[in-house]
Coordinates of all heavy atoms in Angstrom, one line a residue:
Chain A
Y33 N -7.6 4.4 -6.2 CA -6.5 5.0 -5.6 C -5.3 4.7 -6.4 O -5.1 3.6 -6.9 CB -6.3 4.5 -4.2 CG -7.5 4.6 -3.3 CD1 -8.5 3.6 -3.4 CD2 -7.6 5.6 -2.4 CE1 -9.6 3.7 -2.5 CE2 -8.7 5.6 -1.5 CZ -9.7 4.7 -1.6 OH -10.8 4.8 -0.7
Y35 N -1.1 4.9 -5.8 CA 0.1 5.0 -4.9 C 1.3 4.8 -5.7 O 1.4 4.2 -6.8 CB 0.0 3.9 -3.8 CG -1.0 4.1 -2.8 CD1 -2.4 3.7 -3.0 CD2 -0.7 4.7 -1.5 CE1 -3.3 3.9 -2.0 CE2 -1.7 5.0 -0.6 CZ -3.0 4.5 -0.9 OH -3.9 4.8 0.1
Q37 N 5.4 3.4 -5.2 CA 6.3 2.7 -4.3 C 7.7 2.9 -4.9 O 8.1 2.3 -5.9 CB 5.9 1.2 -4.3 CG 6.7 0.4 -3.3 CD 6.2 -1.0 -3.2 OE1 5.5 -1.5 -4.1 NE2 6.5 -1.7 -2.1
G40 N 13.1 2.4 -0.6 CA 13.4 3.2 0.5 C 12.4 4.1 1.0 O 12.5 4.7 2.0
G42 N 8.8 3.4 0.8 CA 7.5 2.8 1.1 C 6.5 3.2 0.1 O 6.9 3.7 -1.1
L43 N 5.3 3.2 0.5 CA 4.1 3.6 -0.5 C 3.7 5.0 -0.2 O 3.4 5.3 0.9 CB 3.0 2.6 -0.3 CG 3.3 1.2 -1.0 CD1 3.7 0.2 0.2 CD2 2.0 0.7 -1.7
F45 N 0.9 7.9 -1.1 CA -0.4 8.2 -1.7 C -0.3 9.2 -2.7 O 0.4 10.2 -2.5 CB -1.4 8.6 -0.6 CG -2.7 9.3 -1.2 CD1 -3.7 8.4 -1.6 CD2 -2.8 10.6 -1.2 CE1 -4.9 9.0 -2.0 CE2 -4.0 11.2 -1.7 CZ -5.0 10.4 -2.1
Y48 N -6.9 9.9 -5.1 CA -8.0 9.0 -5.1 C -9.2 9.6 -5.8 O -9.4 10.8 -5.9 CB -8.3 8.4 -3.8 CG -9.4 9.1 -2.9 CD1 -10.7 8.7 -3.0 CD2 -9.1 10.1 -2.0 CE1 -11.7 9.2 -2.3 CE2 -10.1 10.7 -1.3 CZ -11.4 10.3 -1.4 OH -12.4 10.8 -0.7
D56 N -9.3 14.2 -3.4 CA -7.9 14.3 -2.8 C -6.8 14.0 -3.9 O -6.7 12.8 -4.2 CB -7.8 13.5 -1.6 CG -6.6 13.7 -0.7 OD1 -5.6 14.4 -1.2 OD2 -6.6 13.4 0.4
S58 N -3.7 15.4 -3.2 CA -2.7 16.0 -2.5 C -1.4 15.4 -2.6 O -0.3 16.0 -2.4 CB -3.1 16.2 -1.0 OG -3.3 14.8 -0.5
L91 N 1.2 1.8 -8.1 CA 0.1 0.8 -7.7 C -1.2 1.5 -7.8 O -1.4 2.6 -7.4 CB 0.4 0.3 -6.4 CG 1.6 -0.6 -6.2 CD1 2.0 -0.8 -4.7 CD2 1.5 -1.9 -6.8
T98 N -15.8 4.4 -0.6 CA -14.7 5.1 0.3 C -15.1 4.9 1.7 O -16.3 4.6 2.0 CB -14.7 6.5 -0.1 OG1 -16.0 7.2 0.1 CG2 -14.2 6.8 -1.6
G99 N -14.1 5.0 2.6 CA -14.3 4.9 4.0 C -13.3 4.0 4.5 O -12.8 3.1 3.9
P100 N -12.9 4.3 5.8 CA -11.8 3.6 6.4 C -12.0 2.0 6.6 O -11.0 1.3 6.8 CB -11.6 4.3 7.7 CG -12.9 4.9 7.9 CD -13.5 5.2 6.7
N101 N -13.2 1.6 6.6 CA -13.4 0.2 6.8 C -13.6 -0.6 5.5 O -14.1 -1.8 5.5 CB -14.6 0.0 7.7 CG -15.9 0.6 7.2 OD1 -15.8 1.4 6.4 ND2 -17.0 0.1 7.7
E102 N -13.4 0.1 4.3 CA -13.5 -0.6 3.1 C -12.2 -1.2 2.7 O -11.2 -0.7 2.8 CB -13.9 0.3 2.0 CG -15.4 0.9 2.2 CD -16.4 -0.2 2.1 OE1 -16.2 -1.1 1.3 OE2 -17.5 0.0 2.8
K103 N -12.2 -2.5 2.3 CA -11.0 -3.2 1.9 C -10.6 -2.7 0.6 O -11.3 -2.7 -0.4 CB -11.3 -4.7 1.8 CG -10.1 -5.5 1.5 CD -10.5 -7.1 1.5 CE -9.3 -7.9 1.1 NZ -9.6 -9.4 1.1
L104 N -9.2 -2.4 0.5 CA -8.6 -2.0 -0.8 C -8.1 -3.3 -1.5 O -7.4 -4.1 -0.9 CB -7.5 -1.1 -0.5 CG -7.7 0.3 0.0 CD1 -6.5 1.1 0.0 CD2 -8.8 1.0 -0.9
F106 N -5.5 -4.3 -4.4 CA -4.5 -3.7 -5.2 C -4.1 -4.5 -6.4 O -4.2 -5.7 -6.5 CB -3.2 -3.7 -4.3 CG -3.1 -2.5 -3.3 CD1 -3.7 -2.7 -2.1 CD2 -2.5 -1.4 -3.6 CE1 -3.7 -1.7 -1.1 CE2 -2.4 -0.3 -2.7 CZ -3.0 -0.5 -1.5
G107 N -3.7 -3.8 -7.5 CA -3.2 -4.4 -8.7 C -1.7 -4.7 -8.4 O -1.1 -4.4 -7.4
S108 N -1.1 -5.4 -9.5 CA 0.3 -5.8 -9.3 C 1.3 -4.7 -9.7 O 2.5 -4.8 -9.5 CB 0.6 -7.0 -10.3 OG -0.2 -8.1 -10.0
Chain B
Y32 N -7.4 3.8 12.4 CA -7.8 2.6 11.8 C -6.4 2.0 11.2 O -5.7 2.7 10.5 CB -8.7 2.9 10.6 CG -10.0 3.5 11.0 CD1 -10.2 4.8 10.9 CD2 -11.0 2.7 11.5 CE1 -11.4 5.4 11.3 CE2 -12.3 3.2 11.8 CZ -12.5 4.6 11.7 OH -13.6 5.2 12.1
F34 N -3.8 -1.2 9.7 CA -3.9 -2.3 8.8 C -2.4 -2.9 8.7 O -1.4 -2.2 8.8 CB -4.3 -1.8 7.4 CG -5.5 -1.0 7.3 CD1 -5.6 0.3 7.7 CD2 -6.7 -1.7 6.8 CE1 -6.8 1.0 7.6 CE2 -7.9 -1.0 6.7 CZ -7.9 0.3 7.1
Y36 N -0.6 -5.1 5.6 CA -0.6 -5.6 4.2 C 0.7 -6.5 4.0 O 1.7 -6.1 4.6 CB -0.7 -4.6 3.2 CG -2.1 -4.0 2.9 CD1 -2.5 -3.0 3.8 CD2 -2.9 -4.4 2.0 CE1 -3.8 -2.4 3.7 CE2 -4.2 -3.9 1.8 CZ -4.6 -2.9 2.6 OH -5.8 -2.4 2.5
Q38 N 3.1 -8.0 0.7 CA 3.4 -7.9 -0.7 C 4.4 -9.0 -1.1 O 5.6 -9.0 -0.6 CB 4.0 -6.6 -1.1 CG 4.1 -6.4 -2.6 CD 4.7 -5.0 -2.9 OE1 5.4 -4.3 -2.1 NE2 4.2 -4.4 -4.0
G41 N 6.4 -9.4 -7.1 CA 5.6 -9.4 -8.4 C 4.1 -9.3 -8.2 O 3.4 -9.5 -9.1
Q42 N 3.7 -9.2 -6.9 CA 2.2 -9.3 -6.7 C 1.8 -7.9 -6.0 O 2.6 -7.2 -5.5 CB 1.8 -10.4 -5.9 CG 2.2 -11.8 -6.4 CD 1.6 -13.0 -5.7 OE1 0.7 -12.8 -4.9 NE2 2.1 -14.1 -6.0
G43 N 0.5 -7.8 -6.1 CA 0.0 -6.6 -5.4 C -0.1 -6.8 -3.9 O 0.2 -7.9 -3.4
L44 N -0.5 -5.8 -3.1 CA -0.6 -5.9 -1.7 C -1.9 -6.6 -1.3 O -2.9 -6.5 -2.0 CB -0.6 -4.6 -1.1 CG 0.7 -3.8 -0.9 CD1 1.1 -3.1 -2.2 CD2 0.7 -2.8 0.2
L46 N -4.3 -7.6 2.0 CA -4.6 -7.3 3.4 C -4.6 -8.5 4.3 O -5.2 -9.5 4.0 CB -6.1 -6.7 3.4 CG -6.6 -6.3 4.8 CD1 -5.8 -5.1 5.3 CD2 -8.1 -5.9 4.8
K49 N -6.9 -6.0 10.0 CA -7.3 -4.5 10.2 C -7.8 -4.4 11.7 O -8.4 -5.3 12.2 CB -8.2 -4.0 9.2 CG -9.6 -4.7 9.2 CD -10.4 -4.2 8.0 CE -11.7 -5.0 7.9 NZ -12.6 -4.6 6.8
F51 N -10.2 -1.5 13.9 CA -11.0 -0.4 13.9 C -11.3 0.0 15.4 O -11.2 1.2 15.7 CB -12.3 -0.5 13.0 CG -12.0 -0.6 11.5 CD1 -12.7 -1.5 10.8 CD2 -11.0 0.0 11.0 CE1 -12.5 -1.6 9.4 CE2 -10.7 -0.1 9.6 CZ -11.5 -1.0 8.8
F90 N 3.8 -4.4 5.2 CA 3.6 -3.0 5.4 C 2.5 -2.8 6.5 O 1.4 -3.3 6.4 CB 3.1 -2.3 4.1 CG 4.1 -2.3 3.1 CD1 4.3 -3.3 2.1 CD2 5.1 -1.3 3.0 CE1 5.3 -3.3 1.1 CE2 6.1 -1.3 1.9 CZ 6.1 -2.2 1.1
S94 N -5.2 4.4 8.3 CA -6.2 5.2 7.5 C -6.4 6.6 8.1 O -6.8 6.6 9.3 CB -7.5 4.4 7.3 OG -8.5 5.2 6.6
G97 N -10.8 10.7 4.9 CA -10.8 11.2 3.5 C -10.8 10.1 2.5 O -9.9 10.0 1.8
G98 N -11.9 9.4 2.5 CA -12.0 8.2 1.7 C -11.3 7.1 2.5 O -11.4 6.9 3.7
N99 N -10.4 6.3 1.9 CA -9.7 5.3 2.6 C -8.2 5.5 2.3 O -7.5 4.7 1.9 CB -10.1 3.9 2.1 CG -9.5 2.8 3.1 OD1 -8.9 3.1 4.1 ND2 -9.9 1.6 2.9
K100 N -7.8 6.7 2.4 CA -6.4 7.2 2.1 C -5.5 6.6 3.2 O -5.7 6.7 4.4 CB -6.3 8.7 2.2 CG -4.9 9.2 2.0 CD -5.1 10.7 2.0 CE -3.7 11.4 1.9 NZ -3.8 12.9 2.1
L101 N -4.5 5.8 2.7 CA -3.7 5.1 3.7 C -2.3 5.8 3.7 O -1.8 6.1 2.7 CB -3.5 3.6 3.3 CG -4.7 2.8 3.3 CD1 -4.4 1.4 2.8 CD2 -5.3 2.7 4.8
F103 N 1.3 4.6 4.7 CA 2.1 3.4 4.9 C 3.4 3.6 5.6 O 4.1 4.7 5.4 CB 2.3 2.7 3.6 CG 1.2 2.0 2.9 CD1 0.3 2.7 2.0 CD2 1.0 0.7 3.1 CE1 -0.7 2.1 1.5 CE2 -0.1 0.1 2.5 CZ -1.0 0.8 1.7
G104 N 3.9 2.6 6.3 CA 5.2 2.6 6.7 C 6.2 2.1 5.6 O 5.7 1.9 4.5
T105 N 7.4 2.2 5.7 CA 8.4 1.8 4.7 C 8.6 0.4 4.5 O 9.3 0.0 3.6 CB 9.8 2.5 5.1 OG1 10.1 2.1 6.3 CG2 9.7 4.0 4.9

Side-chain angles (χ1 to χ4, degrees):
Chain A
Y33 305 79
Y35 287 85
Q37 185 174 19
L43 288 97
F45 168 81
Y48 94 90
D56 189 343
S58 62
L91 292 169
T98 58
N101 58 340
E102 292 296 328
K103 181 178 178 180
L104 290 185
F106 282 83
S108 300
Chain B
Y32 299 97
F34 305 81
Y36 281 83
Q38 186 179 34
Q42 299 187 19
L44 282 83
L46 179 66
K49 59 188 178 183
F51 293 143
F90 292 92
S94 176
N99 195 358
K100 177 180 173 182
L101 296 177
F103 284 89
T105 51

